[in-house]
Amino acid sequence: MPAQLGSHTPGEITCLYEITKAIHATMDLQRALYKVLELLSEHLGMKRGSITLLNPDTSQIHIEVAHGISESERTKGKYKLGEGITGRVIKAGRPMVVPQIDAEPLFLDRTGARNGIDHSKISFLCVPIKDQTRVIGALSVDCTYEETSSLEDDVRLLTVISTLIAQKVALLERIRREKDQLQEENLRLRKELNKKYSFTNIVGNSRKMQEVFYLISQVAKSNANVLLLGESGTGKELAANAIHYNSLRAGQPLVKINCAALPANLVEAELFGYEKGAFTGANRTKSGKFELADKGTLFLDEIGSLVLESQGKL
């Protein structure tokens, strides 16, 4: 039998241990939060529970995850800051305990999850989820009302759990912000590359150069393989850059490899990669340049310097 909230058995310690493991086991916030509520139900006899999060831009509160509440009921769980028990807890940043929900006019039961249940037998506990001093949401649970039991210990336990949740939410928020910043920086750099390798940055106004620009614009629109011929220093790599960054593959990788610098015994490994255990010393899988350039462009500089056997395999 699960330990009831308020019984203060070793089940609480087990529950905290399992919750800590569950929170750190995944980077999926919803999955972690669902697991928290499942463990509260399994170990501490929670009847219904929900984790609500505050949208700081709109000051709206919504149920992020719930246990013992249907999906349609969950979607009804939306509150304004200061509205109902949950809204007040998030606004004030302090826990609230309702021993019997039928005696508390502030209890809204907006989800309707307790319809048909004797409200005098339900206790409701709600604690804020804080990232340091900033309230980001609330953890609330239903448990069976017992006249002789104190709910203060339960509130302390839920506060500890809410702190673990807050740490997870804060971590994922930081990761999301850093990811957004990296994506913005990546877009900025790609725009810079597009400018750098546009036709206007290739010097030349002669008829021959105009023909080169025309050919680049033609092949850039296609998926054809392109052979660039010319003496060293005539701008083959510059033309390759212009083709890639003016093509439909501009947002994908441009992988360059100098074939003349590849030792003959490493050519195939560099170009095609290998699987772990393919030969002595292959202790990990290595992606080849072709795989790295998937959906993008592969520029094989000095391809004529490859041994004939490798050229055949290409």
Side-chain angles (χ1 to χ4, degrees):
M1 291 289 290
Q4 293 294 317
L5 280 168
S7 60
H8 319 303
T9 70
E12 294 177 354
I13 305 300
T14 303
C15 182
L16 278 175
Y17 172 70
E18 294 294 335
I19 284 175
T20 303
K21 279 203 310 180
I23 285 176
H24 294 294
T26 177
M27 297 301 288
D28 184 328
L29 178 62
Q30 276 206 336
R31 184 177 176 183
L33 297 183
Y34 272 121
K35 190 63 179 177
V36 168
L37 295 179
E38 285 177 7
L39 289 166
L40 280 172
S41 177
E42 178 184 342
H43 289 281
L44 301 178
M46 176 194 75
K47 303 302 181 185
R48 281 161 298 278
S50 65
I51 294 172
T52 52
L53 295 180
L54 169 68
N55 184 329
D57 298 325
T58 63
S59 295
Q60 295 292 311
I61 301 162
H62 69 279
I63 296 179
E64 182 72 11
V65 296
H67 181 86
I69 298 174
S70 70
E71 182 61 23
S72 61
E73 290 169 342
R74 184 185 71 82
T75 58
K76 297 175 186 175
K78 296 179 181 178
Y79 310 90
K80 297 176 182 177
L81 198 60
E83 185 180 31
I85 300 294
T86 301
R88 290 195 171 208
V89 166
I90 293 177
K91 183 175 183 180
R94 292 190 299 270
M96 286 187 69
V97 176
V98 181
Q100 293 173 286
I101 61 174
D102 67 332
E104 177 51 74
L106 289 174
F107 187 80
L108 302 177
D109 193 19
R110 183 157 289 169
T111 63
R114 301 160 188 86
N115 288 343
I117 301 173
D118 185 352
H119 286 193
S120 67
K121 295 182 179 179
I122 301 174
S123 296
F124 182 77
L125 293 78
C126 186
V127 299
I129 299 173
K130 292 182 179 180
D131 177 20
Q132 297 180 356
T133 58
R134 182 172 65 100
V135 181
I136 58 178
L139 167 63
S140 57
V141 303
D142 286 7
C143 57
T144 302
Y145 169 70
E146 293 181 11
E147 196 170 342
T148 58
S149 70
S150 168
L151 298 174
E152 295 306 313
D153 289 339
D154 300 326
V155 169
R156 281 193 286 271
L157 176 65
L158 292 176
T159 300
V160 172
I161 295 170
S162 74
T163 302
L164 295 173
I165 294 171
Q167 291 171 353
K168 184 70 172 185
V169 173
L171 172 64
L172 293 179
E173 275 189 354
R174 284 195 295 271
I175 291 173
R176 180 187 57 78
R177 284 197 301 269
E178 289 172 5
K179 185 178 178 181
D180 289 344
Q181 289 170 358
L182 286 172
Q183 286 177 335
E184 288 176 7
E185 180 67 6
N186 189 35
L187 286 173
R188 186 188 69 78
L189 290 173
R190 287 190 182 280
K191 288 178 182 177
E192 290 296 319
L193 283 171
N194 288 338
K195 291 178 185 176
K196 182 177 179 180
Y197 294 117
S198 66
F199 299 146
T200 56
N201 284 316
I202 302 179
V203 177
N205 293 313
S206 68
R207 183 174 61 82
K208 286 293 184 183
M209 285 304 298
Q210 293 303 315
E211 290 177 5
V212 170
F213 296 153
Y214 174 75
L215 286 172
I216 288 174
S217 67
Q218 290 298 105
V219 298
K221 300 172 186 175
S222 76
N223 289 320
N225 294 327
V226 180
L227 178 62
L228 300 170
L229 299 173
E231 299 296 326
S232 294
T234 52
K236 296 188 294 297
E237 184 175 352
L238 196 61
N241 287 326
I243 290 170
H244 174 73
Y245 287 107
N246 289 278
S247 75
L248 296 176
R249 301 172 301 281
Q252 302 298 329
L254 169 59
V255 178
K256 303 176 183 179
I257 184 167
N258 187 344
C259 298
L262 287 177
N265 62 329
L266 295 179
V267 169
E268 291 186 28
E270 284 295 318
L271 293 179
F272 308 119
Y274 52 80
E275 294 295 317
K276 180 179 179 180
F279 51 84
T280 303
N283 54 8
R284 62 182 178 86
T285 297
K286 175 182 171 64
S287 298
K289 300 299 183 185
F290 276 90
E291 187 176 352
L292 294 173
D294 184 37
K295 297 182 177 63
T297 304
L298 178 63
F299 177 50
L300 298 165
D301 198 11
E302 302 292 346
I303 192 172
S305 64
L306 288 178
V307 296
L308 292 178
E309 182 184 356
S310 297
Q311 289 189 36
K313 290 181 178 178
L314 274 177

